[in-house]
């Protein structure tokens, strides 16, 4: 399966951003990509008024998928009652396949004041993989990715808006989440300030296989046999001892 990482800068309007995204998606399609991942909140960033434009953006992405036979994972901002939702939409040739609402809202960006938190994890079958979907800040929560791995996921797709100033942590978390779960991880970021950490593709050994630091589309070819073989030859998940980890369910304490 060929996956395209669309390392994209958000422009002045959702429409101009979408036009650039479609240009890069067409390039990826011509190079044989069957799946593409766009950044978190890619058409708008945190411009809440632009949520009104999201239905039209999704409609045009659906038209692209129907014509190209590609599947997209796109981070968008949606209205959710009086608040908003930060979502990753999985769109295929036949329409919407899944919708993940950001489960871990980041205090540093004030998301708790403006957005609803997601209550469910999302997996789906795609190109020979069971895929787990997450957004950005979730990379700091290994429990989420372990939960996906225990459900059989061997590919994580993570639209993100991660600041360059914390790129050292971004790279560490991307590689750790892949290696500890013996899964591929595709994390796609914004190309503009204040974000700008590189988009990364990481293999099940935790090794970087693609890095994008400038706006553009990059492709990786993933082999589902690799995580399956690694999990068989070097068992990790089967060696867990859940009885020792019950404290993970406790509420945190403040000191």
């Amino acid at each position: 399966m060929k996956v395209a990482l669309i390392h994209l800068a958000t422009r002045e309007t959702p429409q101009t951003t979408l036009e650039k995204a479609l240009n890069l998606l067409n390039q990826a399609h011509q190079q044989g990509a069957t799946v593409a991942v766009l950044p978190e909140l890619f058409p708008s960033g945190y411009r809440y008024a632009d949520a009104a434009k999201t239905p039209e953006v999704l409609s045009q992405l659906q038209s692209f998928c129907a014509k190209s036979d590609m599947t997209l994972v796109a981070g968008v901002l949606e209205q959710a009652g009086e608040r908003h939702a930060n979502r990753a939409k999985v769109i295929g040739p036949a329409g919407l396949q899944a919708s993940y609402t950001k489960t871990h809202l980041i205090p540093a960006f004030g998301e708790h004041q403006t957005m609803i938190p997601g209550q469910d994890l999302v997996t789906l079958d795609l190109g020979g993989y069971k895929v787990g979907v997450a957004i950005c800040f979730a990379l700091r929560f290994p429990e989420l990715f372990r939960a996906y791995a225990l459900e059989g996921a061997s590919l994580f797709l993570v639209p993100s808006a991660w600041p360059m100033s914390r790129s050292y942590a971004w790279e560490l978390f991307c590689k750790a989440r892949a290696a500890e779960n013996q899964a591929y991880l595709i994390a796609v970021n914004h190309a503009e300030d204040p974000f700008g950490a590189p988009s990364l593709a990481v293999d099940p050994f935790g090794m970087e296989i693609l890095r994008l630091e400038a706006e553009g589309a990059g492709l990786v070819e993933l082999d589902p046999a690799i995580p399956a073989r690694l999990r068989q030859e070097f068992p990790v998940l089967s060696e867990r001892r859940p009885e020792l980890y019950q404290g993970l369910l406790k509420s945190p304490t403040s000191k």
Side-chain angles (χ1 to χ4, degrees), residues 162-175:
W162 199 285
M164 177 63 82
S165 61
R166 293 193 287 276
S167 62
Y168 62 92
W170 160 260
E171 297 195 32
L172 172 66
F173 296 143
C174 286
K175 293 172 183 178

Side-chain angles (χ1 to χ4, degrees), residues 3 7 13 27 45 54 67-69 80 117 120 151 158 194 218 255:
V3 180
H7 192 67
T13 68
Q27 292 179 31
T54 296
K67 294 174 183 176
S68 66
D69 207 34
D120 299 296
E151 290 186 28
V158 191
K255 294 184 179 180

Side-chain angles (χ1 to χ4, degrees), residues 28-77:
H29 177 243
Q30 291 168 12
Q31 295 175 55
T34 56
V35 175
V37 183
L38 291 150
E40 175 185 10
L41 304 177
F42 91 90
S44 62
Y46 286 91
R47 299 189 305 249
Y48 292 98
D50 284 347
K53 304 294 185 181
T54 296
E56 176 58 26
V57 169
L58 293 173
S59 176
Q60 292 189 54
L61 291 179
Q62 169 55 41
S63 295
F64 170 82
C65 291
K67 294 174 183 176
S68 66
D69 207 34
M70 287 181 65
T71 298
L72 306 181
V73 181
V76 296
L77 183 68

Side-chain angles (χ1 to χ4, degrees), residues 8-143:
L8 178 69
T10 296
R11 287 153 166 78
E12 292 78 10
T13 68
Q15 186 60 36
T16 54
T17 306
L18 176 63
E19 289 168 3
K20 180 61 178 180
L22 290 171
N23 178 269
L24 294 174
L25 287 167
N26 275 303
Q27 292 179 31
H29 177 243
Q30 291 168 12
Q31 295 175 55
T34 56
V35 175
V37 183
L38 291 150
E40 175 185 10
L41 304 177
F42 91 90
S44 62
Y46 286 91
R47 299 189 305 249
Y48 292 98
D50 284 347
K53 304 294 185 181
T54 296
E56 176 58 26
V57 169
L58 293 173
S59 176
Q60 292 189 54
L61 291 179
Q62 169 55 41
S63 295
F64 170 82
C65 291
K67 294 174 183 176
S68 66
D69 207 34
M70 287 181 65
T71 298
L72 306 181
V73 181
V76 296
L77 183 68
E78 291 192 312
Q79 196 72 39
E82 295 182 357
R83 306 182 89 187
H84 292 83
N86 184 335
R87 291 188 170 125
K89 299 287 191 176
V90 184
I91 306 166
L96 183 68
Q97 291 184 233
S99 180
Y100 167 87
T101 302
K102 191 173 187 178
T103 51
H104 295 74
L105 301 179
I106 181 168
F109 292 165
E111 289 185 337
H112 289 282
Q113 285 71 53
T114 58
M115 295 182 179
I116 61 167
Q119 301 299 325
D120 299 296
L121 303 186
V122 171
T123 62
L124 68 154
D125 295 320
L126 184 61
Y129 292 87
K130 176 166 275 192
V131 173
V133 181
I135 295 176
C136 198
F137 189 51
L139 285 163
R140 289 185 179 270
F141 299 87
E143 304 94 325

